[in-house]
Amino acid sequence: MPFPFQLPTTSSVLLSDCFESATHPSLPLAATTKRSVLKDALKKHKRLSTREKVAHLPTVRDAVINYIPYVLALNAAAGFGDVGVERVDLGVKNALQTEWRTTLCATLPGREPPRPRLIGLHHEIAFTLSTLAYVHSLLARTQLRMLYEASVISAEQRTSAVGSALKHLLQANSIHNYLLSLPSVSAAKAAPIDIQPSTISGLASLALAEATLIVVTKDDPYAAAVGEDRNEGNTDWMFKAPSIPRVRAHLFARISLAAAEHASQAQGLLGRSGSAAGKIDEDLIKYATDLRRTARGKAARFLAIDAELSGKTGEGLAWLKGAKKEMGLAVELEDGKRKGFRGLKQSWQERREDKKVEKGGEWGMDAGKLEEARVVEMLEAKWDKENDTVNVQLVPPYEPLLASMPSGREYHSPQPYIPPKLDAGTLAQMRAPPDPDEAAFRGDEEDSGGEEGYGTRSAEPVGAFPGTGREYARTGTSNSYY
C-alpha cells in the first residue's frame, strides 16, 4: 500500500577536494569512501528488476546509514561545532558541488528526471536522509505485499507483517520531521522540489497516514476474509462470518478518520509544492487523494459494522453506500453483482491490480481503494439479503450519516529520529594522517551523469559496431551527408 518511491542516484564527488582538517585529516577521505559506496548501491539498485530490488533494499539502507554519521560530522565541523566530545577543525577548500537526480519531479514520459547541481552540505544531507526515508517506505511495502498475495497466511504472520511495516513507516515519518527541524533545510526555499519544506512536510504526513491506516488492518477480519474468498488455493470449504466487538468497530472508525486527516494534509501540501524547478509528480498527488478516500471509506464501513451489530441493518446499509460514495465508487449492486459500465471498469481495474501483485509490479497505486471496495460490497450483498428476508428495515439516506461522522482519534505518538553518529573510537582514529599513496575510493559504478537520456550524447553512432566510431565520422573536407 505505501507509495512505490524511486530511489535517486548521485554523482561521484571527492569530499577530500572540498574539505581539509588539521585535527582529523582522515575524515574527508573516509567520508568520500562511504559516499562512493552509497553511490554504487543506488546506481546498482536502479538497474535491477522489480523483484531483485526487493532483496537489494537492505543493502541500500546499510549504505545510507553508514554514510550519515560522516556527512553529519562534516556539517557539524564546518559550522565550528563539536563532533561528539571532540573538537574538529575543518576548513573549506572548495564549495561542495553535488548532483542528485530528482525522483518526485514531474517529467515527460520516457525521459529521465533532471539532475540539478547543488551547492552546500545542507542539500547533501537532505537528499541522503530523504533516500533513507524512501527506503523505509519501500521496506514497508515488501512486508505488506504478503497480505495481498495469493497464498493464505496465518494470523500470526499477518500480525508480524503489519507490525514490521508499521515500524518502517513511523521511522520514515520521523526522518522527514527531523529534516524539517534542520534550519538549513527548512529555509531552503530555492531547493529542488524533492527537498523543499512543503514536500518534506507532505511526505511526513503521508507516512503517518499510512502508518495510522494499517493499524486497523492488523485486526480487520473482513479484509482477510475477502482475501481468502478470492484465493483459488484456499481449501476452507466452510465460511464463518467474521465478527469484531462493537466498541472496537467504533474505535477503528475514528482511527481511520485520523488517517484521512493526515492524508488530506499531505494532499494539500504536495499539491501546493512547486517552483521554477518543477512540480510534484501527479501519481504521488493522486495516491495521497486515494489514500484519503480509502481512509474515509474504511471509517464509514466500520460505522456500518457498528450499526449492524446494534441491530440497525438498514442504517448499516446506508453507511455502506456512503462508504462507496466517499471512495468515488458509487456502483449499484443487483443480486450481489455489479452492473453498468462503471461496475465493469472497476472489475477490470481489480483484475489488473491482482496481476500486478502476482508479478511484483507497482501495485497499490490506488492506496488500497479497490481492496476496500471489495469488503464493502461483500458486506452489502450479505446484509441486503438478510434485510430482504429477515429484518426488513428501511435504508435511510446516507448523506446525513456522512455529515455526522465523529472526529478522528490519533493512535501513534511518533518518536524523534536520532541519526547515527561517529563513535569516539572511530573519530579518534581519524587523527592519523592518511597514507600519501592511498587514493580515495571512487566506486565501481560509472557516474550517473552518463545515464541514457541525460547529459552528452554517446560517442558511438547509432547502429555502429563497438569500436568502429571513427569509420563513421565525417571528414573536414566533405560536405556530403551520405
Side-chain angles (χ1 to χ4, degrees):
M1 185 176 61
F3 186 77
F5 291 99
Q6 296 293 329
L7 299 184
T9 54
T10 183
S11 60
S12 177
V13 175
L14 282 177
L15 298 176
S16 55
D17 290 344
C18 302
F19 304 99
E20 60 180 356
S21 176
T23 58
H24 298 73
S26 296
L27 176 59
L29 188 65
T32 300
T33 300
K34 297 297 182 180
R35 191 185 190 281
S36 299
V37 173
L38 173 60
K39 184 208 70 170
D40 280 4
L42 292 174
K43 180 69 182 216
K44 181 179 179 181
H45 185 84
K46 183 178 181 180
R47 297 198 312 263
L48 297 176
S49 63
T50 303
R51 292 188 178 274
E52 293 173 335
K53 286 180 178 180
V54 173
H56 192 253
L57 281 174
T59 303
V60 179
R61 179 191 57 189
D62 295 340
V64 179
I65 292 177
N66 292 336
Y67 174 57
I68 288 176
Y70 291 87
V71 68
L72 292 181
L74 290 175
N75 186 59
F80 302 101
D82 296 336
V83 180
V85 296
E86 292 194 34
R87 183 73 177 181
V88 178
D89 184 9
L90 188 71
V92 179
K93 296 192 295 184
N94 299 303
L96 175 63
Q97 295 186 7
T98 59
E99 294 180 1
W100 283 84
R101 192 174 298 283
T102 59
T103 56
L104 301 183
C105 181
T107 56
L108 295 177
R111 289 192 178 183
E112 284 280 1
R115 196 180 73 165
R117 179 164 296 181
L118 310 172
I119 301 177
L121 272 172
H122 59 289
H123 287 143
E124 177 78 3
I125 293 173
F127 265 102
T128 302
L129 289 174
S130 295
T131 301
L132 181 59
Y134 301 158
V135 170
H136 279 292
S137 295
L138 294 175
L139 287 172
R141 279 178 59 85
T142 62
Q143 295 294 326
L144 294 176
R145 184 176 182 273
M146 64 178 63
L147 303 182
Y148 302 95
E149 288 179 334
S151 59
V152 180
I153 62 175
S154 62
E156 293 78 11
Q157 291 175 327
R158 185 182 186 87
T159 302
S160 177
V162 172
S164 299
L166 197 61
K167 293 179 181 178
H168 286 299
L169 290 173
L170 290 177
Q171 187 74 350
N173 170 262
S174 299
I175 294 173
H176 288 306
N177 287 328
Y178 174 79
L179 270 175
L180 289 175
S181 66
L182 298 179
S184 57
V185 175
S186 59
K189 302 300 182 181
I193 192 68
D194 296 48
I195 56 174
Q196 285 186 2
S198 57
T199 302
I200 297 175
S201 181
L203 293 177
S205 298
L206 188 66
L208 186 57
E210 293 167 340
T212 304
L213 192 59
I214 66 173
V215 167
V216 301
T217 304
K218 179 178 63 174
D219 299 321
D220 185 6
Y222 297 92
V226 169
E228 294 177 2
D229 185 57
R230 73 170 187 271
N231 179 23
E232 297 179 355
N234 188 11
T235 58
D236 294 338
W237 59 276
M238 295 184 64
F239 176 75
K240 180 182 178 181
S243 61
I244 56 179
R246 175 185 175 186
V247 176
R248 294 183 66 186
H250 194 272
L251 175 63
F252 286 170
R254 295 189 61 187
I255 294 176
S256 299
L257 287 172
E261 293 173 3
H262 292 301
S264 178
Q265 185 178 3
Q267 177 189 357
L269 289 169
L270 294 173
R272 192 168 62 246
S273 298
S275 64
K279 295 183 179 180
I280 287 289
D281 189 4
E282 291 294 333
D283 289 340
L284 181 57
I285 300 177
K286 182 179 179 299
Y287 174 84
T289 304
D290 286 341
L291 184 62
R292 178 185 60 82
R293 291 177 175 176
T294 302
R296 290 190 62 85
K298 196 179 290 288
R301 192 246 297 178
F302 280 118
L303 291 174
I305 295 173
D306 181 61
E308 197 273 338
L309 291 175
S310 302
K312 303 176 181 178
T313 307
E315 182 179 332
L317 287 171
W319 274 115
L320 293 180
K321 292 183 180 297
K324 292 195 294 183
K325 180 64 176 180
E326 288 288 348
M327 292 186 291
L329 300 173
V331 180
E332 297 294 334
L333 292 180
E334 183 178 2
D335 297 331
K337 297 181 180 180
R338 298 167 186 156
K339 63 178 182 179
F341 176 75
R342 297 185 67 181
L344 180 63
K345 180 181 178 181
Q346 182 179 341
S347 300
W348 176 79
Q349 289 176 340
E350 289 178 357
R351 289 194 298 269
R352 185 181 179 185
E353 188 71 14
D354 292 340
K355 291 182 179 179
K356 288 182 179 179
V357 175
E358 295 175 1
K359 297 180 180 180
E362 291 187 354
W363 59 277
M365 293 296 289
D366 64 335
K369 184 173 63 176
L370 295 177
E371 190 71 16
E372 178 62 25
R374 285 170 166 169
V375 180
V376 170
E377 290 177 356
M378 178 196 74
L379 293 176
E380 186 179 13
K382 180 176 181 294
W383 294 352
D384 188 64
K385 184 178 295 184
E386 292 178 356
N387 190 52
D388 291 343
T389 57
V390 180
N391 297 322
V392 191
Q393 296 182 9
L394 294 176
V395 180
Y398 60 83
E399 290 84 359
L401 296 177
L402 294 180
S404 64
M405 274 189 170
S407 60
R409 176 174 176 177
E410 294 292 344
Y411 184 86
H412 299 294
S413 299
Q415 301 299 317
Y417 173 69
I418 301 177
K421 299 180 180 179
L422 288 177
D423 58 274
T426 303
L427 193 59
Q429 294 176 359
M430 296 181 187
R431 296 175 183 173
D435 189 348
D437 298 331
E438 182 182 0
F441 178 66
R442 300 295 297 269
D444 298 328
E445 299 287 342
E446 295 181 358
D447 189 356
S448 57
E451 293 175 0
E452 183 179 356
Y454 177 87
T456 59
R457 297 173 57 187
S458 175
E460 295 288 348
V462 178
F465 189 80
T468 62
R470 295 181 180 178
E471 299 180 9
Y472 295 88
R474 293 173 56 190
T475 62
T477 59
S478 175
N479 293 323
S480 174
Y481 285 92
Y482 304 97

